[in-house]
Amino acid sequence: MSNDTLADFERTEFSAHGRTAPVYRLGSGPAVVVISEMPGITPKVADFARTVAGIGCTAVMPHLFGADGKDPMDARIPALGAMATITRAIVPACISREFTVLATGKSSPVVTWLRALAAQEHERCGGPGVGAIGMCFTGGFALAMAADDRLIAPVLSQPSLPFAMSGRRARSIDIDPADLEKVRGRCAAGDLTVLGLRFQGDRMCPSARFGWLREQLGDAFTAVELPDSSANPDAMGPPHSVVTEGLIDEPGQPTRAALDEVLDLFRRRLLTPA
């Protein structure tokens, strides 16, 4: 896959809480905020956003890090090029005050900006609320965003923060206690369903994290845990990114079934008349 110009997306700037960044939009209907994984808005992330737009939603991709549209494998030596692209994105993010990388029980500060973006998109696009999917580094952002009642369809795809460097960090996710309490209350009231995706052998998103989420959210948390053998063998590295790099977009493939569960959640919560 080559670099993606993102020419079919509308590009604007969004400012809130002292942060201004590009936002890419495609489609019409209720908004779904697509929060990219490392190293940024890759062609596979953009294709996922196009799929979301294809079901009748407005896909909203904010820039958080990296080079928008760049294929990490687009280099003379693909593996080395991918590592360089990821390093250029992850090092600034890890030292940025916008992201909480190691601390437990703390939402990343950029979540406040994402909530403001979701609020604007809800006003712009209408519908019963907003959906969001976070991936890898941003996986937990969608859960923290759900402390706002307008976020009604959160998806956590291989949530990887805080880095699981200890058992305590593995049994946690990047969300403030106050935000988690609000989310738990919404789940208990039947107002919120949270979907989580991971490959079973993924050490960046360990099984203990999903076990902890089940304890915190109860039956409102649905976990989709796929065998590593179901991941796209052409993806670089061990199985990790369920709906992007690891996706085999063919009928009958477990990763395609996982993608369908994500789309079905957005349909039920955002497109089905009350």
Side-chain angles (χ1 to χ4, degrees):
M1 182 173 285
S2 60
N3 294 335
D4 192 325
T5 65
L6 308 176
D8 50 334
F9 290 83
E10 174 195 13
R11 184 186 185 278
T12 61
E13 299 278 322
F14 176 69
S15 298
H17 303 288
R19 184 182 200 273
T20 299
V23 173
Y24 300 87
R25 294 183 187 84
L26 182 68
S28 60
V32 174
V33 181
V34 178
I35 316 168
S36 66
E37 60 199 338
M38 285 292 173
I41 300 175
T42 64
K44 294 281 181 75
V45 171
D47 281 346
F48 173 82
R50 293 182 178 104
T51 301
V52 169
I55 68 169
C57 292
T58 300
V60 180
M61 287 193 305
H63 168 90
L64 296 187
F65 37 69
D68 298 338
K70 181 170 179 55
D71 178 8
M73 301 299 286
D74 185 34
R76 184 170 298 176
I77 304 177
L80 292 179
M83 289 304 300
T85 299
I86 292 169
T87 300
R88 282 194 294 268
I90 199 169
V91 170
C94 284
I95 63 176
S96 170
R97 294 181 179 179
E98 291 187 314
F99 304 100
T100 297
V101 176
L102 295 176
T104 60
K106 186 177 181 181
S107 301
S108 286
V110 76
V111 168
T112 302
W113 185 84
L114 289 167
R115 286 188 190 128
L117 174 63
Q120 174 187 274
E121 295 303 323
H122 185 217
E123 183 176 350
R124 176 198 297 263
C125 300
V130 179
I133 179 170
M135 310 176 192
C136 181
F137 196 87
T138 70
F141 294 5
L143 187 68
M145 289 172 69
D148 186 316
D149 290 344
R150 284 166 287 207
L151 201 292
I152 62 174
V155 179
L156 322 180
S157 193
Q158 71 275 356
S160 303
L161 295 184
F163 292 147
M165 299 166 64
S166 67
R168 179 168 175 253
R169 290 191 173 96
R171 285 182 49 79
S172 66
I173 203 167
D174 48 336
I175 186 170
D176 287 332
D179 290 343
L180 178 58
E181 189 61 30
K182 180 68 183 295
V183 170
R184 280 200 307 227
R186 294 186 65 197
C187 288
D191 179 47
L192 194 65
T193 297
V194 180
L195 180 62
L197 313 171
R198 65 179 293 272
F199 287 107
Q200 290 171 348
D202 189 354
R203 294 184 179 181
M204 293 182 65
C205 178
S207 60
R209 181 159 294 154
F210 273 28
W212 181 83
L213 285 166
R214 290 187 192 93
E215 293 171 7
Q216 299 299 315
L217 307 181
D219 292 340
F221 179 66
T222 299
V224 176
E225 299 182 89
L226 304 174
D228 291 3
S229 59
S230 67
N232 190 333
D234 295 330
M236 185 184 72
H240 179 60
S241 301
V242 177
V243 297
T244 55
E245 302 299 327
L247 174 67
I248 303 176
D249 195 4
E250 298 172 0
Q253 291 290 340
T255 51
R256 176 65 218 197
L259 172 60
D260 288 339
E261 287 206 44
V262 173
L263 300 177
D264 286 346
L265 175 65
F266 293 152
R267 289 189 184 98
R268 288 195 312 272
R269 298 292 283 156
L270 301 174
L271 300 174
T272 303

